[in-house]
Amino acid sequence: MDESGSTRVRSRRSHNKSRLGCQNCKRRRVKCDEKKPACGPCVRHSIDCDFILPAAAPSASSTTTRQYRFRRSRYQHETPTESSTASRSGSEARGSGPVSTGTQCDLAASQPPGGISFADLKLYHHYMTTTYKTLADEKGDTHGVWSNHVPRWGISFPSILHLILSLSALHLAAENPDSRAEYLAQADDHFTFGVRSVTAVLALLNSENCQLIYMSAALICLAYFGRGPRIGEYLVFSQSGQSEWLVLLRGVRSILTTNHERIFTGVLTPVPDDSIKEVSPALQTELDRHLSQIQALRSWITLQVSDAAVCEVYAASIEDLRSILKEAYAIRSAGKDGIHLMHLAMGWIYRAREEMIALLEARDPYALVVYAHWSIILRYMQSCWLMRGWDEHVVAGVRALLPVELQGWIEYPLSVVAGGVS
């Protein structure tokens, strides 16, 4: 046969085959980049790379069992072995305190590779087993919003994930005073990343993500309460500049104003609580005492304020306060308090006219007296860890700003908060 007519065989490109890759890559039949101290494929799959393991003959178990590796938590103290290794290598010694340098589980942003930390897993487990129960009535949460949907949304929406981990850390801080500083460091990091990530998508608010963004905003407000009262910050007003919490609430209101119907649908559709009926006779006397005091407050302000328009602003807030107290006592009569009153307490501020909010921000004395009476409802929310101390904090803030001659008008809410009137 003529050789010129035969088919030529294409020559293969020559290359050097390396046999220095790690055993994990060889078993998985993938190309190892041979980077040290750990190769790229092992880092991406959270597998202990042979390069960082002590040299030893492979055992039967090491060749058949895949070892997964979790990143060290930034909140986890060093072990003696790690400290000695660091000193031998000349590395800078780490502090022994709970230093926070960032979040561990920013899944969407792909933080330093290597998987999530045990600290985050602990927070997630605590939320799934304990914290979610403190955010809603399990029997009333028929759609499983807090136990099921919020955690699932967090997997695909980073802000929700970070914020539920922040709430979990705050809950653990409240339950474990000895470890409070460590848990607060974790909570602050997750809160920061949660706020940043939801802020980044606010401009993209639409019918598909409005529920997720609303839930993120609600979680931010809850985390603010869970962090505890701040010096000089009294929710609606502040001793220096604009109130942080009021900015958050206005953000929630802005989202709801344009997307109310699209948000409160599906699993977020409100479900009426049939257990709430009339105020029980045992609590009616207590409620009547509150209402009588608030009526006296309205009459006093009417006599003191000559501007009819401003007087109407006070009257509208006082009337709304009467309404939420009646509803609060109906809920208490059903054996519920704490988190069950959150929508009432926040609803009063949410519905307040801008003129009333402006008066409170300006620390107008009559508006402050009305606000002190609103704190009565906070007294009945102390069974919820999120709200502990807020009633005393708000009344103390009002008292510090009121002229001496008007302080007699907050003696009643002061006595309620102190437990003298119930």
Side-chain angles (χ1 to χ4, degrees):
M1 180 180 292
D2 184 4
E3 291 184 2
S4 62
S6 62
T7 303
R8 294 182 180 180
V9 178
R10 181 179 298 175
S11 61
R12 297 180 63 186
R13 181 180 300 174
S14 62
H15 66 280
N16 296 323
K17 183 175 182 180
S18 173
R19 299 183 183 277
L20 301 178
C22 76
Q23 292 299 316
N24 288 327
C25 290
K26 289 179 180 179
R27 283 195 297 273
R28 297 173 57 238
R29 296 183 179 181
V30 299
K31 181 176 176 58
C32 180
D33 59 17
E34 301 179 20
K35 289 184 179 180
K36 295 183 179 181
C39 73
C42 285
V43 168
R44 285 195 298 273
H45 292 279
S46 299
I47 305 171
D48 280 328
C49 186
D50 296 342
F51 294 152
I52 61 174
L53 295 176
S59 62
S61 60
S62 66
T63 57
T64 57
T65 303
R66 197 179 197 188
Q67 299 296 322
Y68 288 89
R69 174 171 52 84
F70 289 87
R71 275 211 322 275
R72 154 180 281 283
S73 167
R74 291 181 174 86
Y75 317 102
Q76 187 176 5
H77 300 306
E78 280 188 320
T79 62
T81 303
E82 291 166 331
S83 298
S84 60
T85 302
S87 61
R88 285 197 304 270
S89 63
S91 300
E92 182 180 354
R94 297 182 184 179
S96 58
V99 179
S100 167
T101 57
T103 189
Q104 301 290 309
C105 66
D106 197 355
L107 304 181
S110 297
Q111 286 279 312
I116 64 175
S117 75
F118 278 119
D120 294 328
L121 290 179
K122 179 178 180 180
L123 295 180
Y124 192 76
H125 175 266
H126 186 73
Y127 175 86
M128 293 298 298
T129 58
T130 308
T131 302
Y132 85 88
K133 298 177 183 178
T134 69
L135 305 178
D137 178 11
E138 279 194 278
K139 294 181 179 179
D141 188 16
T142 55
H143 296 304
V145 172
W146 294 100
S147 61
N148 182 18
H149 295 285
V150 168
R152 284 201 299 109
W153 290 340
I155 300 302
S156 58
F157 202 71
S159 62
I160 290 180
L161 178 61
H162 286 297
L163 291 167
I164 64 175
L165 294 183
S166 179
L167 272 174
S168 178
L170 291 170
H171 190 205
L172 283 166
E175 292 187 330
N176 301 275
D178 293 341
S179 301
R180 178 175 174 80
E182 179 180 347
Y183 288 126
L184 289 182
Q186 296 178 65
D188 289 346
D189 270 350
H190 285 297
F191 183 82
T192 298
F193 276 83
V195 171
R196 285 179 182 173
S197 55
V198 74
T199 301
V201 299
L202 271 177
L204 306 175
L205 182 67
N206 56 43
S207 59
E208 294 183 359
N209 64 19
C210 61
Q211 285 187 321
L212 303 180
I213 292 177
Y214 164 74
M215 188 56 67
S216 297
L219 287 166
I220 288 171
C221 289
L222 291 177
Y224 186 93
F225 281 118
R227 191 62 170 79
R230 295 160 171 79
I231 296 174
E233 286 280 337
Y234 302 99
L235 297 180
V236 180
F237 66 92
S238 170
Q239 289 184 346
S240 58
Q242 194 172 28
S243 164
E244 295 177 359
W245 185 83
L246 188 59
V247 172
L248 296 175
L249 183 68
R250 282 172 168 160
V252 174
R253 183 163 61 183
S254 175
I255 295 168
L256 286 175
T257 300
T258 55
N259 297 275
H260 190 279
E261 297 301 322
R262 292 185 292 182
I263 289 172
F264 294 108
T265 186
V267 298
L268 294 186
T269 301
V271 178
D273 189 342
D274 295 333
S275 68
I276 299 174
K277 303 184 184 302
E278 300 295 326
V279 178
S280 66
L283 291 177
Q284 186 63 55
T285 301
E286 183 179 317
L287 172 60
D288 289 342
R289 188 159 51 241
H290 292 332
L291 296 180
S292 175
Q293 174 63 26
I294 289 174
Q295 181 57 44
L297 172 64
R298 179 172 182 173
S299 299
W300 171 70
I301 289 179
T302 301
L303 292 173
Q304 297 296 317
V305 180
S306 57
D307 189 319
V310 176
C311 193
E312 172 57 28
V313 171
Y314 296 132
S317 290
I318 291 172
E319 185 57 36
D320 195 23
L321 180 57
R322 284 172 52 87
S323 297
I324 67 168
L325 278 173
K326 290 178 181 179
E327 191 172 348
Y329 269 77
I331 293 174
R332 292 186 65 207
S333 297
K336 301 177 180 181
D337 55 16
I339 198 68
H340 300 92
L341 304 179
M342 180 68 81
H343 68 290
L344 298 177
M346 298 306 102
W348 183 79
I349 299 175
Y350 181 91
R351 292 185 298 272
R353 297 182 183 180
E354 281 300 318
E355 297 91 338
M356 183 65 177
I357 298 299
L359 289 167
L360 285 169
E361 289 187 296
R363 291 174 276 185
D364 172 82
Y366 300 108
L368 289 176
V369 171
V370 176
Y371 188 54
H373 283 74
W374 167 80
S375 68
I376 290 173
I377 198 169
L378 300 182
R379 163 71 178 170
Y380 305 116
M381 299 180 70
Q382 296 305 294
S383 61
C384 176
W385 65 275
L386 289 166
M387 303 306 297
R388 290 172 191 162
W390 279 102
D391 55 342
E392 295 178 349
H393 181 71
V394 168
V395 175
V398 171
R399 184 178 188 180
L401 295 171
L402 271 186
V404 176
E405 61 271 19
L406 296 184
Q407 290 193 3
W409 280 97
I410 63 168
E411 285 183 1
Y412 185 81
L414 277 169
S415 63
V416 173
V417 166
V421 177
S422 61

